[in-house]
Amino acid sequence: RPLHGFLGFDPSRHIVSVSLRNWNDARDITPNGKDTAANQVTPSAYNSYISSIRPDIVVALSDIPFGSTSPSEKRLVKSLERSLRWLGQILRINHANVFVPMAGLLGDVARDDFATGLLEALEGSEARELQPLGFHTLNDGVAGYSLDLAPLKRLQQASPPESDPTSQLVDLAQTSLRPLPEGKPRLVTGCESPHDILQFIQSGLDLFDSHFAQQAADWGVALDFRFRAPPAQPDAAAVDIGVNLYDVEHEMVFERLANSLRGGAEEDDANLPVCPCIACTPKFSSTPILHSSLDEAPTGEEGPSPPFTRGYIHHLLHTHEMTAHVLLAAHNLSVLSGFFADIRAFLAEVSSAPDAEERFNEEIRKFEQQYKRPDELMRKAKVNWEEVNLARGKGRLAREKAAKATENPVEVTQHPERVLPDVVP
């Protein structure tokens, strides 16, 4: 497992997947020869990379058009044909754990055609090369299916649907998966909230990426939500799914990151589950490396320390300390992991009940009543993040000079070269 060794991952504990393109990047890629870092990768080159690094999961190449307008019918048909052909090429050399992106964009007919193409009997050279491997259809060699939301959301932004955007995406997923046999993993990438995740779970999808939790950490948001959270007061307003730690209101707040979870060293709120992340339950070794004779080993028993506070991480964010992102990413992934664990526990609890689906839908309704969708929270956090980056980032002096000139314009009539800039250090 060369890729596991390079990344320092234990193959018995970690699953490593490889995709040619970032699932959550819907930007256009300019052709080769332009001023860009993008490079063309042929199917044969991609197959050679896969053979060399041997990941656990391979995401097949897919010719999904990325753009703000829907492609022509001719271009869409070509994308389906190419995606099916490239899948066959990957199965020739890597016929274990291949996930196929479900093509078709916003077209119900195109999505159904692609799914049908996976189930059609192989013919010609494909049949001669894949049937000895035990594959009589392309779907026989597929380990799972993926639905990538990024290109779909970009098209929705250009032409908003009449119904709820997430509901449209759920319907498209069902259109793609309805003809296919059940029992294989169904991955969704690009969900932007736990509310979206719950909608997809209702429709039968079961795997999700953690992009929105990582993005929240980038923008200084500490997540704070649980599935089946303690019931709120009858007239209580919905709360945010996290806190924006860039906001100055947290500058002097010396509390843990989440109200719905507690730190491992905290004795109060014993009914709350413990967040095991390094921000809420930090642990320090009792036998650290001593770098000089002046260093002293800590005394006392090794155990969890008090959680890092919102005010402390607010300070780290405003001073551009990388530790802030490390702590927030660890915390957000821990919250998301606990969210999924709670869902699995609830489904296991009601699995044998005749009204299991109704009870699950009721829990989702309660969740949506208790937690706001994060659109406004993330929007404000991104604005604050950009303000802090601009305040101390590259070009700061020039921006401060321009801002000061706007506030106090200086009229220069002679010898403009003698006017010195008034720069705030």
Side-chain angles (χ1 to χ4, degrees), residues 201-386:
I201 293 177
Q202 280 182 303
S203 68
L205 288 101
D206 43 23
L207 285 175
F208 302 87
D209 70 341
S210 59
H211 173 71
F212 99 87
Q214 294 274 15
Q215 184 66 80
D218 291 342
W219 293 340
V221 173
L223 296 180
D224 182 10
F225 62 87
R226 290 166 52 198
F227 188 68
R228 300 186 76 186
Q233 297 297 325
D235 298 328
V239 298
D240 285 319
I241 65 166
V243 290
N244 171 19
L245 295 180
Y246 271 114
D247 197 315
V248 293
E249 71 176 9
H250 297 290
E251 184 177 11
M252 299 298 290
V253 177
F254 303 110
E255 302 173 1
R256 60 176 181 256
L257 300 183
N259 293 322
S260 60
L261 302 163
R262 64 183 175 92
E266 294 180 309
E267 300 295 335
D268 57 338
D269 297 328
N271 293 328
L272 295 180
V274 172
C275 179
C277 78
I278 57 175
C280 297
T281 310
K283 296 180 181 179
F284 301 96
S285 173
S286 60
T287 58
I289 298 175
L290 303 180
H291 296 280
S292 74
S293 59
L294 299 178
D295 295 333
E296 295 182 1
T299 59
E301 297 182 359
E302 184 174 347
S305 299
F308 292 108
T309 65
R310 299 181 185 186
Y312 174 65
I313 296 183
H314 170 87
H315 162 74
L316 295 179
L317 289 169
H318 280 260
T319 54
H320 288 237
E321 287 285 350
M322 291 186 293
T323 311
H325 181 267
V326 173
L327 294 173
L328 285 174
H331 172 76
N332 288 354
L333 293 175
S334 179
V335 171
L336 188 60
S337 178
F339 174 72
F340 285 126
D342 288 345
I343 294 174
R344 291 193 298 269
F346 178 80
L347 293 177
E349 175 186 323
V350 303
S351 59
S352 58
D355 59 344
E357 183 175 352
E358 290 78 8
R359 289 170 64 178
F360 183 56
N361 292 340
E362 177 63 17
E363 287 299 327
I364 292 177
R365 185 188 65 79
K366 292 179 182 178
F367 182 91
E368 292 176 341
Q369 286 183 338
Q370 187 161 354
Y371 294 105
K372 301 177 187 176
R373 286 188 170 268
D375 305 56
E376 180 60 22
L377 170 69
M378 296 300 183
R379 184 201 64 78
K380 184 177 180 181
K382 185 179 180 182
V383 169
N384 295 152
W385 167 74
E386 290 174 340

Side-chain angles (χ1 to χ4, degrees), residues 1-30:
R1 298 286 186 178
L3 184 57
H4 289 74
F6 176 75
L7 296 174
F9 290 157
D10 181 354
S12 65
R13 295 183 57 200
H14 301 99
I15 297 175
V16 177
S17 65
V18 168
S19 174
L20 184 62
R21 180 166 181 151
N22 180 353
W23 285 327
N24 296 287
D25 186 353
R27 294 175 299 175
D28 292 332
I29 294 182
T30 55

